[in-house]
């Protein structure tokens, strides 16, 4: 449009047209410019807003999909973690996709306008200019495919770099890094990973540079040839001065618009390729097979049975559980003891169905765990994991995460904290249960207050994790994996007494290295190298004089010596 109006103004001036007509044309040219500017700004806003919305939606879908992986296997698979990270990059670049589509629409409109102008002047030249865009399209598509392949190839190194980067800025790691002086070593590793990523990207950039250089030369050749033709035609009187001006504008316009179109196509293509990772995650099936028709899971009445259970973390790993047979009777407290690495926590993860055993079965009142809905099963279990989480949230939220409904019922949160022996500590915090248990964020919404949260001690965090498990009261099975290893002996005794009273008549599985805390269990099971080697109550095991008895005596002597 602008090119047409400019041509008409120039032709008007050279053919001595009435001044009024030329002025009208100039006014039209000005209005066109203003309208084009306004359309550009509004389009920009619309594009950004659409990009934000698409990104938010895609992120929500991606994380909803990861939540559907009910086991742990996928989160321990490096290939899957690489894919997940690229999927997140795909989400972050979803605005690029919107930009690409918008840009494509805009470039197409511009292209159509200029092609129309050029066609009027020279159909041959139009064909030449358009034909020159074909190699550009082919090469740019290849480049974007290659770029996506490079992103996949550098994924592992990028993830390692991220690991070192996070480590170097994490408060948890800061103590050891400073004390052991390991910062330089970790930084070097981070930089080495970054160099590897940069090298792959540099290689890609050089390839792009070569290809784009060749394409620019081709475009210059076509434009130069066109200009020579137009000038010769003008000297012969075939074209007017206005025609030449419009021709130049149209050639530059067609080339610019087709370059923009191809580049937007390449951006969109790249986003689509990256989106493949996103789609792969969102469409991935369940990691643990879900039964087509889940069997009902009634409240536990008889007990849990492990029948010849064999388990290893993957085909490359050694067997961790080797033919475990165990019955946990309803209403009893069973203690699981054994040396480091014996397989105790692994057994807990199988009971929660975070993995499936390769051989054998685990049944709940005779129903195989694989035949019931995972959500139903987990709703009946409460756990304190050995490596429990400490959330950078308020004290109340840290407990309520065990049963989100209790956020609306603070009395249950307080009762659980009381049973875990942390209530008094929490009430003395600056904002009581609403105190933020981290110094990573400001308290409340206003950073101006300058107040960050507080930090709990290791034992206090452990009590909080116990409170989180206890807030899920009325669950059929409670699993406590080293719930009191960080407590002093008095506190440990007190906590166990309270939990025992509260859980009286319910089924519990307790893991502890302190044999004194498990001696009152109904059944003590000794696990060694993935096999059960002894089981019975404390008196029976002491009388049999096996490994448990030897370990118990060793611990008692150590304690007597320490006290005496
Ligand atoms: N996610 C995992 N992937 C691969 N191997 C694992 C994984 N978790 C544990 N293991 C291995 O399984 C074995 C048993 O570990 P587990 O944590 O069950 O032992 P544990 O009896 O609870 O030990 P501890 O008393 O030290 O807590 C160990 O050799 C460990 O290296």
């Amino acid at each position: 449009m602008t090119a047409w109006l400019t041509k008409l103004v120039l032709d008007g001036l050279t053919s001595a047209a009435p001044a009024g007509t030329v002025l009208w044309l100039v006014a039209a040219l000005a209005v066109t410019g203003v309208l084009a500017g306004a359309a550009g700004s509004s389009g920009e806003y619309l594009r950004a807003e659409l990009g934000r919305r698409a990104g938010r939606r895609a992120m929500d879908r991606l994380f909803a999909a990861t939540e559907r992986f009910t086991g742990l296997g996928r989160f321990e698979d490096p290939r899957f973690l690489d894919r997940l990270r690229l999927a997140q990059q795909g989400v972050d670049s979803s605005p690029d996709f919107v930009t690409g589509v918008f840009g494509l629409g805009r470039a197409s409109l511009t292209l159509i306008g200029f092609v129309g102008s050029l066609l009027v002047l020279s159909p041959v030249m139009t064909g030449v200019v358009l034909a020159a865009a074909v190699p550009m399209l082919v090469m740019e598509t290849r480049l974007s495919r290659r770029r996506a392949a490079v992103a996949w190839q550098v994924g592992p190194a990028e993830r390692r770099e991220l690991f070192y980067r996070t480590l170097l800025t994490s408060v948890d790691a800061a103590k050891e890094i400073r004390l052991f002086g390991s910062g330089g070593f970790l930084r070097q590793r981070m930089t080495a990973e970054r160099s590897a990523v940069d090298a792959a990207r540099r290689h890609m950039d050089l390839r792009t540079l070569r290809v784009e250089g060749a394409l620019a030369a081709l475009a210059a050749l076509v434009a130069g040839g066109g200009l020579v033709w137009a000038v010769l035609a003008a000297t012969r009187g075939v074209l007017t001065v206005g025609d030449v001006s419009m021709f130049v504008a149209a050639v530059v316009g067609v080339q610019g618009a087709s370059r923009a179109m191809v580049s937007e196509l390449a951006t969109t293509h790249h986003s689509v390729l990256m989106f493949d990772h996103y789609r792969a995650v969102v469409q991935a099936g369940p990691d643990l097979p879900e039964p087509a028709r889940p069997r009902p899971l009634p409240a536990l009445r008889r007990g849990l049975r492990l029948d010849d259970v064999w388990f290893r973390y993957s085909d490359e790993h050694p067997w961790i559980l080797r033919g475990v047979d165990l019955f946990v009777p309803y209403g009893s407290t069973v203690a699981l003891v054994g040396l480091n690495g014996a397989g105790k926590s692994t057994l807990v993860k199988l009971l929660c169905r975070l993995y499936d055993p390769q051989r054998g079965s685990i049944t709940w009142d005779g129903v195989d765990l694989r035949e019931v809905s995972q959500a139903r099963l987990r709703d009946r279990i409460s756990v304190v994991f050995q490596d429990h989480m400490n959330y950078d949230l308020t004290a109340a939220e840290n407990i309520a995460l065990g049963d989100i409904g209790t956020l609306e019922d603070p009395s249950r949160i307080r009762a659980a904290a009381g049973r875990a022996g942390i209530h008094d500590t929490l009430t003395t915090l600056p904002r009581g249960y609403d105190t933020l248990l981290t110094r990573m964020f400001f308290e409340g919404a206003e950073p101006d207050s300058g107040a960050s949260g507080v930090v709990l001690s290791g034992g206090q965090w452990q009590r909080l994790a116990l409170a989180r498990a206890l807030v899920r009261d009325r669950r059929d099975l409670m699993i406590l994996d080293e719930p009191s290893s960080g407590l002093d002996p008095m506190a440990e005794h007190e906590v166990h007494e309270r939990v025992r009273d509260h859980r009286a008549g319910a089924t519990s599985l307790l893991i502890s290295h302190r044999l004194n805390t498990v001696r009152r269990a109904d059944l003590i099971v000794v696990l060694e190298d993935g096999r059960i080697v002894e089981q019975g109550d404390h008196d029976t095991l002491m009388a049999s004089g096996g490994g448990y008895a030897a370990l118990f005596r060793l611990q008692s002597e150590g304690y007597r010596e320490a006290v005496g």
Side-chain angles (χ1 to χ4, degrees):
M1 181 79 164
T2 313
W4 262 105
L5 288 170
T6 311
K7 164 196 150 53
L8 293 178
V9 168
L10 285 175
D11 282 348
L13 286 174
T14 49
S15 64
T21 314
V22 177
L23 279 180
W24 273 115
L25 287 170
V26 171
L29 199 57
V31 171
T32 312
V34 170
L35 285 180
S41 318
S42 330
E44 195 69 20
Y45 171 80
L46 200 63
R47 186 172 54 77
E49 181 55 20
L50 267 177
R52 278 190 288 269
R53 287 188 187 197
R56 204 161 52 232
R57 222 176 133 197
M59 186 178 76
D60 190 55
R61 279 192 65 195
L62 181 71
F63 284 91
T66 54
E67 242 175 83
R68 284 197 296 273
F69 306 141
T70 52
L72 298 187
R74 290 242 165 93
F75 297 99
E76 293 176 328
D77 174 1
R79 298 300 284 177
F80 188 78
L81 291 175
D82 284 338
R83 200 176 272 291
L84 193 57
R85 210 182 50 80
L86 287 178
Q88 287 182 44
Q89 276 183 14
V91 166
D92 291 341
S93 67
S94 45
D96 290 353
F97 179 76
V98 177
T99 308
V101 172
F102 255 74
L104 211 57
R106 200 164 47 192
S108 317
L109 284 181
T110 318
L111 188 66
I112 292 169
F114 280 121
V115 165
S117 312
L118 200 55
L119 264 175
V120 174
L121 294 171
S122 164
V124 176
M125 203 56 207
T126 313
V128 172
V129 173
L130 285 180
V134 174
M136 196 162 29
L137 184 64
V138 173
M139 294 314 284
E140 289 286 357
T141 310
R142 277 195 197 165
L143 282 179
S144 70
R145 201 170 293 138
R146 182 91 204 114
R147 229 171 271 133
V150 168
W152 176 244
Q153 176 201 328
V154 300
E158 263 189 333
R159 218 153 46 76
R160 282 194 296 271
E161 185 207 332
L162 183 66
F163 159 71
Y164 290 118
R165 226 181 320 153
T166 314
L167 203 61
L168 284 166
T169 51
S170 121
V171 65
D172 293 333
K175 293 191 291 287
E176 288 201 6
I177 291 176
R178 267 136 198 82
L179 195 82
F180 300 149
S182 51
F185 168 78
L186 295 170
R187 191 159 35 79
Q188 250 175 22
R189 286 222 164 161
M190 176 185 75
T191 314
E193 299 294 354
R194 181 56 169 261
S195 301
V197 173
D198 281 351
R201 293 224 172 105
R202 188 176 313 113
H203 190 69
M204 184 65 221
D205 286 349
L206 285 173
R207 182 189 285 244
T208 308
L209 198 66
R210 279 196 299 273
V211 170
E212 288 189 342
L215 291 174
L218 179 68
L221 206 69
V222 171
L227 188 60
V228 171
W229 171 83
V231 170
L232 289 178
T235 54
R236 287 198 313 273
V238 179
L239 293 183
T240 64
V241 175
D243 286 339
V244 174
S245 119
M246 195 181 78
F247 176 82
V248 172
V251 170
V252 171
V254 170
Q255 284 191 332
S258 51
R259 202 168 30 241
M261 207 166 142
V262 168
S263 134
E264 300 294 7
L265 261 176
T267 308
T268 315
H269 183 231
H270 182 74
S271 301
V272 168
L273 291 176
M274 293 300 282
F275 233 64
D276 275 351
H277 299 292
Y278 171 87
R279 228 187 5 241
V281 174
V282 170
Q283 293 176 352
D287 50 339
L288 293 174
E290 271 274 8
R293 285 216 199 111
R295 289 181 62 181
L297 189 72
L300 190 69
R301 282 295 167 264
R302 278 177 280 146
L304 279 154
R305 185 179 295 283
L306 282 86
D307 193 10
D308 191 27
V309 167
W310 287 75
F311 176 74
R312 57 181 168 185
Y313 282 94
S314 77
D315 293 347
E316 292 85 50
H317 285 91
W319 289 106
I320 305 297
L321 298 180
R322 304 154 185 263
V324 172
D325 289 307
L326 173 67
F327 184 60
V328 179
Y330 164 69
S332 66
T333 298
V334 172
L336 200 55
V337 300
L339 300 182
N340 292 136
K344 305 180 293 294
S345 299
T346 302
L347 197 147
V348 165
K349 289 187 262 182
L350 292 192
L351 281 177
C352 302
R353 207 182 164 216
L354 293 169
Y355 303 95
D356 279 336
Q358 276 85 9
R359 277 190 247 160
S361 64
I362 304 176
T363 51
W364 174 290
D365 279 356
V367 180
D368 195 307
L369 296 191
R370 287 169 288 208
E371 293 173 15
V372 301
S373 125
Q374 276 134 321
R376 294 283 298 153
L377 171 69
R378 286 166 189 176
D379 198 38
R380 294 201 170 277
I381 302 178
S382 188
V383 196
V384 177
F385 288 110
Q386 186 179 24
D387 49 354
H388 59 78
M389 286 296 298
N390 302 333
Y391 297 96
D392 291 346
L393 298 171
T394 66
E397 287 164 343
N398 257 282
I399 298 175
L401 281 179
D403 184 343
I404 275 307
T406 57
L407 264 183
E408 309 299 322
D409 186 358
S411 64
R412 282 182 60 199
I413 295 180
R414 284 165 184 265
R419 280 193 288 276
I422 187 77
H423 172 74
D424 292 346
T425 310
L426 297 184
T427 48
T428 57
L429 295 178
R431 294 184 186 209
Y433 276 71
D434 293 327
T435 307
L436 201 57
L437 300 184
T438 174
R439 296 187 58 203
M440 302 269 287
F441 306 111
F442 288 111
E443 281 268 31
E446 303 111 44
D448 294 348
S449 71
S452 60
V454 301
V455 174
L456 294 186
S457 75
Q460 288 167 338
W461 271 120
Q462 206 162 25
R463 286 171 187 252
L464 211 63
L466 183 61
R468 185 159 55 245
L470 289 170
V471 89
R472 289 170 75 79
D473 48 7
R474 299 185 287 274
R475 308 293 154 145
D476 295 350
L477 174 67
M478 177 136 194
I479 303 175
L480 303 168
D481 190 352
E482 301 258 15
S484 54
S485 55
L487 304 193
D488 58 71
M490 292 264 288
E492 184 182 25
H493 179 73
E494 169 211 314
V495 163
H496 275 282
E497 289 297 309
R498 281 200 217 158
V499 172
R500 193 171 17 247
D501 290 348
H502 177 67
R503 294 281 305 163
T507 315
S508 306
L509 184 76
L510 171 65
I511 297 180
S512 180
H513 284 293
R514 299 201 202 170
L515 299 187
N516 209 28
T517 60
V518 304
R519 62 182 295 178
R520 288 175 61 184
D522 301 305
L523 177 70
I524 299 169
V525 177
V526 184
L527 202 61
E528 189 180 301
D529 209 11
R531 289 193 178 87
I532 291 177
V533 288
E534 287 174 70
Q535 57 179 308
D537 63 14
H538 174 75
D539 294 337
T540 315
L541 291 181
M542 289 306 285
S544 71
Y548 174 84
L551 207 59
F552 189 85
R553 282 198 196 94
L554 195 72
Q555 284 192 4
S556 314
E557 275 165 26
Y559 189 66
R560 265 202 302 277
E561 270 171 28
V563 171

